[in-house]
């Protein structure tokens, strides 16, 4: 038997601009996905999110898991009983599919090699390959790297000499070869002592549609490219504030980032309502991830009040510490 947990993620700065080579900053959150594997006499799966019973494992319904079993590990052992537990909102921009892929990769590695915990960089690459294979070759490594490494991660189109460089990765996409550098950032104690409160609108908005919407608007109005550069400047200011532990400055950068994302056309009325309502009790707030629906995030020292504001707006809150531990094996 082997059990692994991998956290979800929240993008603090740089969503959408990262698609065009600008940097993005993401942190691992407390909520995530647990995968438990047991050998059995038949292939079975249960996801607590959707069902109380084990069902026959179907590759087409579980593309990330299938990719890891067949293409990554080429597993030929006894059939597996796969149990999935998640406390992430799904299709909400919190990286649930990367967390699932990483937890599955770590658990299967542990089952096959019980004495040897998997390397976090190798796991991030496994998670990224599972996401790419399930999304027709298009996936940024942001979710898989943040979930595997934990803490605070910067993903950019090129190596940043000022940051702690962890690894580089590339992917052949239908649009050509793409390369990314992954860096880690040490968070200041003030930041670690504060709280993130996420608010789910209850509406899933497919990331692919939001990304192609931005591409379309850029074609119509090329002057919007200036907003991408503005997001990069905000991201860099936000990053410095995170390193210095200046909560007010992180909050101001979050607010500015939200305004830029609104100009790119990726916010919605419900995101704007929650973002504005939570500002009374937070340092700053913004939509996080692809937008359209999905989630917003607020930085605060008063998480219960912020969670209440989110509920009053009709959203579902999730309170998290900053930069949780990355994917790991759970000892029984
Ligand atoms: O849906 P999410 O939270 O994984 O956000 C996607 C972030 C984008 O920048 C919009 C897309 C990407 O591939 O980075």
């Amino acid at each position: 038997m082997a059990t692994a947990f991998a956290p979800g993620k929240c993008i603090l700065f740089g969503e959408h601009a990262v698609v065009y080579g600008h940097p993005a900053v993401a942190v691992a959150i407390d909520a995530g996905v647990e995968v438990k594997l047991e050998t059995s006499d038949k292939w079975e799966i249960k996801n607590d999110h959707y069902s109380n019973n084990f069902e026959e494992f179907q590759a087409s319904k579980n593309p990330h898991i299938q990719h890891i079993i067949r293409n990554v590990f080429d597993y030929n052992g006894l059939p597996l009983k796969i149990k999935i537990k998640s406390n992430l909102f799904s299709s909400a921009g919190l990286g649930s599919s990367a967390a699932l892929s990483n937890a599955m990769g770590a658990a299967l590695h542990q089952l096959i090699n019980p004495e040897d915990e998997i390397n976090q960089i190798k796991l991030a690459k496994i998670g990224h390959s599972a996401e790419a294979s399930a999304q027709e070759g298009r996936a940024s490594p942001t979710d898989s790297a943040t979930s595997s490494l934990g803490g605070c991660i910067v993903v950019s189109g090129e190596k940043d000499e000022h940051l702690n460089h962890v690894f580089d990765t590339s992917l052949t996409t239908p649009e050509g070869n793409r390369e990314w550098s992954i860096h880690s950032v040490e968070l200041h104690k003030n930041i670690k002592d504060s709280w993130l409160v996420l608010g789910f609108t209850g509406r899933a908005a497919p990331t692919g549609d939001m990304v192609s919407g931005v591409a379309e608007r850029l074609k119509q109005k090329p002057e919007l490219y200036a907003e991408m550069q503005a997001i990069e400047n905000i991201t860099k200011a936000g990053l410095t504030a995170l390193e210095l532990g200046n909560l007010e400055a992180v909050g101001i950068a979050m607010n500015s980032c939200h305004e830029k994302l609104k100009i790119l056309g990726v916010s919605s009325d419900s995101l704007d309502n929650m973002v504005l309502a939570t500002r009374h009790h937070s340092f700053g707030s913004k939509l996080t991830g692809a937008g359209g629906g999905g989630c917003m995030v607020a930085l605060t020292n008063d998480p219960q009040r912020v969670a209440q504001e989110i509920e009053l707006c009709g959203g579902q809150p999730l309170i998290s510490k900053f930069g949780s531990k990355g994917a790991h094996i759970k000892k029984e």
Side-chain angles (χ1 to χ4, degrees):
M1 188 161 73
T3 307
F5 174 84
K9 69 91 192 35
C10 159
I11 299 183
L12 289 180
F13 302 110
E15 48 273 269
H16 287 286
V18 69
V19 175
Y20 297 85
H22 299 283
V25 181
V27 288
I29 59 174
D30 296 342
V33 179
E34 183 187 286
V35 172
K36 186 175 191 171
L37 301 177
E38 274 176 274
T39 50
S40 169
D41 53 0
K42 54 181 189 288
W43 283 91
E44 283 180 296
I45 189 162
K46 173 160 94 90
N47 187 333
D48 282 0
H49 221 75
Y50 306 110
S51 161
N52 292 323
N53 305 312
F54 277 94
E55 293 167 2
E56 185 191 341
F57 177 80
Q58 289 182 44
S60 59
K61 283 194 188 167
N62 300 281
H64 300 82
I65 293 178
Q66 172 68 7
H67 173 82
I68 288 168
I69 293 171
R70 289 286 157 249
N71 305 345
V72 176
F73 287 90
D74 192 18
Y75 176 77
N76 289 311
L78 288 169
L80 297 174
K81 197 171 180 178
I82 305 165
K83 192 173 171 192
I84 301 164
K85 260 204 281 195
S86 170
N87 52 2
L88 287 170
F89 306 121
S90 66
S91 307
L94 300 183
S96 62
S97 61
L100 170 67
S101 305
N102 284 349
M104 179 66 197
L108 189 51
H109 179 89
Q110 174 76 8
L111 192 83
I112 299 168
N113 314 285
E115 301 308 320
D116 164 41
E117 196 160 324
I118 196 163
N119 171 285
Q120 304 301 128
I121 295 174
K122 193 168 160 193
L123 184 62
K125 290 184 176 178
I126 290 174
H128 187 204
S129 75
E131 292 234 278
S133 113
Q135 293 166 204
E136 296 169 352
R138 290 185 192 89
S140 104
T142 313
D143 294 15
S144 45
T146 311
S147 172
S148 178
L149 303 172
C152 179
I153 297 298
V154 177
V155 176
S156 55
E158 55 192 32
K159 206 164 156 176
D160 185 329
E161 300 301 336
H162 302 292
L163 298 173
N164 176 36
H165 175 253
V166 186
F167 70 101
D168 291 328
T169 188
S170 63
L171 189 68
T172 307
T173 74
E175 288 77 34
N177 204 44
R178 293 194 54 196
E179 293 178 0
W180 296 271
S181 286
I182 313 293
H183 313 79
S184 67
V185 176
E186 189 51 44
L187 293 169
H188 191 280
K189 182 180 177 302
N190 292 352
I191 303 289
K192 287 186 188 158
D193 289 346
S194 66
W195 298 87
L196 291 173
V197 186
L198 292 136
F200 180 38
T201 54
R203 211 185 112 211
T207 300
D209 294 354
M210 298 310 295
V211 169
S212 48
V214 170
E216 195 49 47
R217 286 189 282 283
L218 282 167
K219 229 188 274 169
Q220 311 276 328
K221 283 194 196 172
E223 64 271 23
L224 282 180
Y225 277 105
E227 304 302 335
M228 297 291 182
Q229 185 55 49
I231 292 179
E232 171 162 345
N233 298 342
I234 293 167
T235 300
K236 287 182 171 164
L239 192 53
T240 305
L242 283 171
E243 289 175 306
L244 294 175
N246 186 336
L247 292 161
E248 282 80 12
V250 177
I252 291 168
M254 289 170 77
N255 294 346
S256 312
C257 192
H258 185 72
E259 292 311 308
K260 296 297 170 193
L261 291 166
K262 266 172 84 169
I263 297 172
L264 291 181
V266 295
S267 194
S268 69
D269 288 346
S270 54
L271 283 168
D272 288 344
N273 284 342
M274 287 198 277
V275 163
L276 285 183
T278 50
R279 293 235 172 115
H280 303 300
H281 302 287
S282 59
F283 296 101
S285 56
K286 62 182 276 289
L287 72 85
T288 179
C295 287
M296 50 70 64
V297 60
L299 169 67
T300 183
N301 279 337
D302 194 354
Q304 298 302 340
R305 283 302 287 271
V306 172
Q308 223 171 22
E309 300 282 13
I310 289 170
E311 277 174 346
L312 287 172
C313 292
Q316 297 169 59
L318 186 118
I319 298 175
S320 174
K321 271 292 182 193
F322 249 92
S324 305
K325 186 176 166 188
H328 55 274
I329 296 301
K330 288 181 91 171
K331 305 278 179 232
E332 292 303 319

